[in-house]
Amino acid sequence: NAGVMQNPRHLVRRRGQEARLRCSPMKGHSHVYWYRQLPEEGLKFMVYLQKENIIDESGMPKERFSAEFPKEGPSILRIQQVVRGDSAAYFCASSPFLGGYQETQYFGPGTRLLVL
Amino acid sequence: DAKTTQPPSMDCAEGRAANLPCNHSTISGNEYVYWYRQIHSQGPQYIIHGLKNNETNEMASLIITEDRKSSTLILPHATLRDTAVYYCIVSLGSNYKLTFGKGTLLTVNP
């Protein structure tokens, strides 16, 4: 059973460019979460999505960041007009159906974004 | 979610048991204790979780005190590959926002 897949593993962008990070959840998982880890800091929650729905984006910056989880295909975290402060590791996690109880989240290997 | 306190670092000899403590004195009755670890440059890896009872799986054991104010993660036979930052997280059963603190850097020495 393949785990959570993220690509690319490393991404280099120049200031002002767009970054697209992809996440394929574990088989059978319908919930996706994105976290960001700045250098020397702990992971911080960004957004929680189900298929075609954003459930909670309270941890996501209001501007330049967006996330989606379409009916078909991976979840995408999109960062427009990147700045140096966006340099971080971005982790995706997935869990099975949430039936009023927090199911265990399983994390992918992360995408390390470097903004030059 | 309740706050957790962990020592910043610990050392353990290879082959010995590693006992990682976590204090969560403000934990409420319906909050779970989760343990994750992060090996350098990798994503967090789920280890184990529990509510009241002690738990054991193929990776580790979780011992929760009777008053639930603290817990200990036990790796019974630590290997060099267990060197990682270990995070103790307390979370409501309905809360999906995991809060990662600074964790404990466990270094397993040969």
Side-chain angles (χ1 to χ4, degrees):
Chain A
N1 186 14
V4 178
M5 310 281 283
Q6 289 188 251
N7 67 80
R9 296 290 306 276
H10 300 272
L11 184 61
V12 180
R13 286 286 177 266
R14 297 192 180 279
R15 280 178 295 171
Q17 292 184 318
E18 178 179 289
R20 281 185 177 239
L21 288 61
R22 293 175 184 76
C23 169
S24 297
M26 286 179 69
K27 188 176 180 180
H29 287 192
S30 55
H31 300 252
V32 165
Y33 316 81
W34 286 92
Y35 291 78
R36 178 167 67 174
Q37 186 172 32
L38 294 170
E40 307 303 321
E41 294 188 15
L43 279 78
K44 297 284 193 296
F45 168 82
M46 298 180 73
V47 62
Y48 162 37
L49 309 103
Q50 296 175 20
K51 287 281 187 182
E52 300 184 283
N53 279 310
I54 298 174
I55 306 303
D56 183 345
E57 55 183 350
S58 60
M60 204 139 74
K62 295 278 188 286
E63 297 180 356
R64 301 187 298 108
F65 285 71
S66 62
E68 62 177 10
F69 189 15
K71 187 176 181 181
E72 300 291 338
S75 174
I76 306 286
L77 179 67
R78 182 183 177 203
I79 311 172
Q80 295 178 290
Q81 300 175 331
V82 295
V83 300
R84 287 206 173 124
D86 297 332
S87 295
Y90 292 82
F91 294 98
C92 168
S94 72
S95 71
F97 173 67
L98 197 71
Y101 164 77
Q102 180 192 342
E103 298 290 345
T104 300
Q105 294 180 30
Y106 295 89
F107 285 80
T111 293
R112 277 146 189 86
L113 173 65
L114 176 62
V115 180
L116 301 177
Chain B
D1 292 339
K3 188 176 178 179
T4 61
T5 303
Q6 298 178 253
S9 63
M10 293 182 64
D11 286 297
C12 177
E14 189 178 18
R16 305 297 292 269
N19 298 284
L20 292 94
C22 179
N23 286 321
H24 31 78
S25 58
T26 61
I27 192 170
S28 63
N30 54 352
E31 286 185 309
Y32 289 77
V33 179
Y34 283 80
W35 283 84
Y36 281 81
R37 73 179 182 184
Q38 189 173 23
I39 297 170
H40 183 61
S41 297
Q42 297 183 22
Q45 178 186 22
Y46 166 77
I47 302 173
I48 199 167
H49 75 283
L51 182 62
K52 295 180 182 177
N53 300 321
N54 298 336
E55 302 287 345
T56 294
N57 63 20
E58 65 279 2
M59 287 184 68
S61 295
L62 173 60
I63 308 298
I64 302 174
T65 57
E66 194 168 339
D67 63 7
R68 303 187 70 237
K69 292 183 185 298
S70 65
S71 60
T72 301
L73 178 75
I74 301 172
L75 307 178
H77 306 287
T79 71
L80 299 179
R81 287 179 291 182
D82 292 322
T83 292
V85 177
Y86 287 76
Y87 298 98
C88 169
I89 299 169
V90 170
S91 183
L92 282 169
S94 58
N95 185 13
Y96 43 79
K97 296 181 190 178
L98 297 179
T99 301
F100 289 79
K102 294 189 182 299
T104 296
L105 172 59
L106 173 69
T107 302
V108 181
N109 301 303

